Amino acid sequence: MNFKQKLSAAVLKLNRFMQGRYGIDEISYCLLAISFILMIISRFDKLWFFYFPALVPLVLSIIRALSKNITARISEREKFLKAAEPIKAFIKLQRNKIRDRKTHKYFKCKKCNSVLRVPIGKGKIAITCPKCGNKFNKKT
Ligand SMILES: [Zn+2]
């Protein structure tokens, strides 16, 4: 048996082992990222003790991946994605603010909290919120 055959046999074995198990999802990636960050922190001289808490998310993600209780893992994933929504929205807004920094300014409607984007360099203008109709003056 050459190397290629050995490798494909190992892949087949792994596939058989993972059958009926949950595998990897967004939570796993998040846990692995946390673990990775803690491991990097633990590389600093006086912060070596971060190595042990770094193992916790790593072990958790492995346990989740090997779990056979798929319905429980799916409901965990749904809760996780729902909880991550505002964080994702915040990151997207910050990215857009950086992208549009030369052309647009962002304001928050004080009544309904929606974010409004207006072009820069128009002087003092009256802004009407398209969602709730609230009017306010801002300098752009
Ligand atoms: Zn509004």
Side-chain angles (χ1 to χ4, degrees):
M1 211 162 35
N2 63 28
F3 176 73
K4 213 171 177 183
Q5 283 171 324
K6 274 184 189 169
L7 188 69
S8 66
V11 168
L12 205 70
K13 230 176 177 178
L14 183 68
N15 276 342
R16 206 167 290 147
F17 176 73
M18 286 307 287
Q19 228 162 46
R21 295 177 193 271
Y22 184 66
I24 290 173
D25 65 0
E26 291 86 350
I27 300 177
S28 310
Y29 290 126
C30 200
L31 287 169
L32 290 175
I34 292 167
S35 179
F36 185 70
I37 290 165
L38 289 175
M39 291 233 180
I40 287 173
I41 291 171
S42 78
R43 298 296 297 162
F44 291 98
D45 242 5
K46 285 174 183 164
L47 299 170
W48 59 269
F49 53 88
F50 270 96
Y51 182 75
F52 301 104
L55 294 176
V56 174
L58 182 67
V59 170
L60 267 177
S61 79
I62 292 170
I63 290 171
R64 286 192 83 253
L66 298 180
S67 166
K68 287 184 173 176
N69 189 354
I70 291 171
T71 48
R73 300 294 85 77
I74 287 174
S75 85
E76 281 170 8
R77 178 178 177 263
E78 277 169 8
K79 282 178 199 157
F80 175 80
L81 290 178
K82 202 168 182 190
E85 255 170 40
I87 299 164
K88 274 170 95 177
F90 176 79
I91 291 169
K92 190 181 173 194
L93 176 64
Q94 298 312 312
R95 197 189 299 147
N96 288 347
K97 274 183 181 176
I98 291 169
R99 185 196 63 201
D100 301 339
R101 68 190 179 281
K102 284 178 183 162
T103 56
H104 292 83
K105 215 166 181 179
Y106 286 78
F107 295 108
K108 203 173 212 174
C109 172
K110 285 191 174 101
K111 208 171 170 188
C112 71
N113 268 339
S114 59
V115 177
L116 310 171
R117 191 179 77 139
V118 284
I120 262 175
K122 301 282 180 197
K124 199 164 185 180
I125 55 168
I127 302 168
T128 308
C129 174
K131 264 192 183 164
C132 69
N134 181 32
K135 286 182 183 168
F136 55 97
N137 295 318
K138 284 284 177 188
K139 201 178 163 204
T140 63

